[in-house]
Amino acid sequence: MPAEPAIPSTKPYLVRAIHEWCCDNGFTPYLAVVVDGGTRVPIEFVRDGQIVLNVSSDATNRLRLGNDYIEFQARFGGVARDISVPIG
């Protein structure tokens, strides 16, 4: 019996929709992230294994809300840092 095809996750679509809704309505979109080995964030800003990131257009550069990762550049303490957060 052939395997059933995997159903794609709705998470990246929901993240993009909520981000767009926040921006369209004047709200600041934030991501609460559990940091693990696949997450690239400034570790000195991680508290209790988590970090909250402002993902507004004013706070990010080159924001990409992809299907597998959310990637952007942001300033932490005046220093530009590359951020990568897995969607899963």
Side-chain angles (χ1 to χ4, degrees):
M1 176 180 235
E4 292 288 323
I7 297 174
S9 173
T10 58
K11 279 184 188 179
Y13 299 93
L14 293 172
V15 168
R16 287 190 288 268
I18 292 169
H19 181 271
E20 183 178 347
W21 180 86
C22 286
C23 294
D24 287 352
N25 289 284
F27 298 112
T28 302
Y30 288 93
L31 287 176
V33 178
V34 174
V35 177
D36 64 16
T39 309
R40 191 171 69 211
V41 296
I43 200 70
E44 64 270 25
F45 293 95
V46 174
R47 298 289 177 259
D48 298 321
Q50 299 180 23
I51 189 169
V52 176
L53 301 168
N54 176 342
V55 289
S56 69
S57 59
D58 291 339
T60 63
N61 185 31
R62 298 190 312 249
L63 177 64
R64 182 179 175 277
L65 303 172
N67 287 343
D68 298 317
Y69 288 90
I70 297 170
E71 299 173 307
F72 58 95
Q73 190 177 68
R75 293 193 171 275
F76 291 82
V79 178
R81 307 286 285 271
D82 292 323
I83 307 300
S84 180
V85 177
I87 296 280

